Amino acid sequence: MSHLTYLEAAVVGLVQGVTELFPVSSLGHNVLIPALIGGSWATDLNVATPESPYLAFIVGLHVATAIALLIYFWRDWIRIIRGFFSSLGHFARPAEGTRRWQLQNANQKLAWMIILATIPVGLVGLAFEHEFRVLFGKPIRAAIFLVINGLILLAGEKFRRRASVQADHDIARERELVAAGQARREGPARHAAGHQAERATEYARGLESDQRMARTSYLKAVLIGTAQILALLAGISRDGVAMVAGMFAGLSREDAARFAFLLATPVILAAGGPILVGSLFSGVGAYFSVRFLVRYFRTRTLTPFAIYCFVVGGASLLYLGLIK
């Protein structure tokens, strides 16, 4: 990638942000779009080249996707992380009359379900990501796998297990009863809900979903997470295959989607982990630097920085000159 134009960056960034969460494969689209446009796009934006700088750019975009997921699910992640640490505390100090380690609530179990479900794709990604990208990161192969992804999604809907379909009906029936009860209590004075009330409703439904998912076995959670390995093939959607696997495990469509999004967060963070860590430390350093310098330059000069440059630059010249 000799350079990246603003137009290329904008298009790739938008496509990455949308298709990462839609079950249509972000990597598949990022492979196909440059090839379909052709010209400099096809040469500059080639994910299959060895040590592809375009791939590094895509990995960087994952950080923004992960941040968006964390912002949307921030309250859920606080509960899940607290559940993880509280489970460790219970392991260290089990309650009297209980087994050595016994999870106490849905947040604790969901935390461990996510951890266990992330391990398979994490291990395979670390070991074979390069081979998968070089072998399957070609536009024609990405197109083939995108078609296969569509078949997987259709098959997931057509051959859903009865338990998954029943779970959808049970959730819908329960919500109808709750809504009817609220309508009777509120009467004609009921007002349309605003954005804040809508988010509160979504959060409450998320809590209900977590309670339902916590009744799923660890084995099913690991199988759902393992399905994400297919997403190493450009054209196969991580969220799509995880949703299909979730419905096959008996989850409702809503719960399968939520679990897929929660599973995507640590995987995406891991992909852009070094960039995220570097960005965080860079931001912290910049914040404290500007805070110090704004006060420093009220009364002081540039002289100390000039001396620093002379010392470090001169010492580096001597050192490099001696070892070259």
Side-chain angles (χ1 to χ4, degrees):
M1 187 171 66
S2 57
H3 67 282
L4 184 70
T5 68
Y6 285 105
L7 178 60
E8 290 170 341
V11 171
V12 172
L14 181 61
V15 168
Q16 164 64 29
V18 173
T19 57
E20 179 64 44
L21 300 178
F22 277 71
V24 293
S25 177
S26 61
L27 182 57
H29 282 75
N30 284 324
V31 170
L32 284 173
I33 286 177
L36 294 174
I37 294 176
S40 62
W41 286 62
T43 56
D44 291 346
L45 311 181
N46 186 350
V47 75
T49 57
E51 304 303 324
S52 169
Y54 175 47
L55 179 66
F57 177 70
I58 294 174
V59 169
L61 295 178
H62 278 71
V63 175
T65 307
I67 290 173
L69 283 169
L70 288 173
I71 290 173
Y72 187 84
F73 291 110
W74 70 272
R75 288 186 292 182
D76 304 282
W77 276 112
I78 288 175
R79 285 191 298 102
I80 293 169
I81 293 171
R82 283 177 177 171
F84 169 72
F85 284 108
S86 65
S87 71
L88 295 180
H90 182 73
F91 176 75
R93 298 181 300 276
E96 185 177 354
T98 65
R99 296 195 300 269
R100 177 61 181 166
W101 192 54
Q102 182 177 1
L103 300 182
Q104 301 297 300
N105 55 53
N107 294 332
Q108 292 177 350
K109 183 172 182 182
L110 186 60
W112 283 100
M113 287 172 64
I114 291 172
I115 291 170
L116 295 174
T118 303
I119 290 173
V121 66
L123 293 176
V124 174
L126 287 173
F128 301 110
E129 181 276 334
H130 178 77
E131 288 75 10
F132 272 84
R133 174 170 55 83
V134 173
L135 183 60
F136 298 109
K138 306 292 185 182
I140 188 66
R141 293 169 184 167
I144 292 171
F145 283 116
L146 191 60
V147 173
I148 293 174
N149 186 71
L151 294 174
I152 292 173
L153 299 180
L154 279 178
E157 287 290 347
K158 184 172 181 59
F159 301 106
R160 285 177 68 190
R161 293 183 61 188
R162 184 176 301 176
S164 176
V165 176
Q166 185 61 46
D168 276 352
H169 293 326
D170 292 343
I171 293 171
R173 187 183 308 113
E174 182 179 349
R175 287 178 180 166
E176 287 176 0
L177 293 174
V178 171
Q182 288 178 341
R184 287 194 298 270
R185 289 193 300 271
E186 295 173 2
R190 186 181 182 189
H191 298 285
H195 177 72
Q196 189 173 4
E198 182 179 345
R199 287 293 290 130
T201 300
E202 289 179 2
Y203 180 67
R205 290 182 174 180
L207 288 173
E208 296 170 358
S209 179
D210 291 350
Q211 293 287 338
R212 293 190 297 267
M213 285 190 292
R215 295 194 289 268
T216 302
S217 69
Y218 288 113
L219 176 59
K220 289 182 178 179
V222 170
L223 292 175
I224 295 170
T226 302
Q228 295 180 104
I229 293 173
L230 292 174
L232 293 172
L233 304 171
I236 303 296
S237 165
R238 177 188 298 108
D239 296 321
V241 293
M243 281 187 64
V244 169
M247 291 189 295
F248 182 78
L251 297 179
S252 69
R253 189 183 291 109
E254 176 184 338
D255 293 348
R258 178 178 173 82
F259 193 48
F261 293 147
L262 291 175
L263 285 180
T265 306
V267 175
I268 296 173
L269 278 176
I275 296 174
L276 177 61
V277 171
S279 298
L280 287 175
F281 276 86
S282 176
V284 170
Y287 173 81
F288 284 105
S289 295
V290 73
R291 184 175 178 178
F292 168 78
L293 291 171
V294 165
R295 299 174 182 177
Y296 175 89
F297 284 121
R298 290 173 184 166
T299 56
R300 301 180 186 179
T301 71
L302 291 168
T303 303
F305 304 100
I307 296 172
Y308 168 85
C309 292
F310 292 146
V311 172
V312 174
S316 298
L317 284 172
L318 289 174
Y319 176 77
L320 294 173
L322 289 174
I323 64 174
K324 290 297 184 182

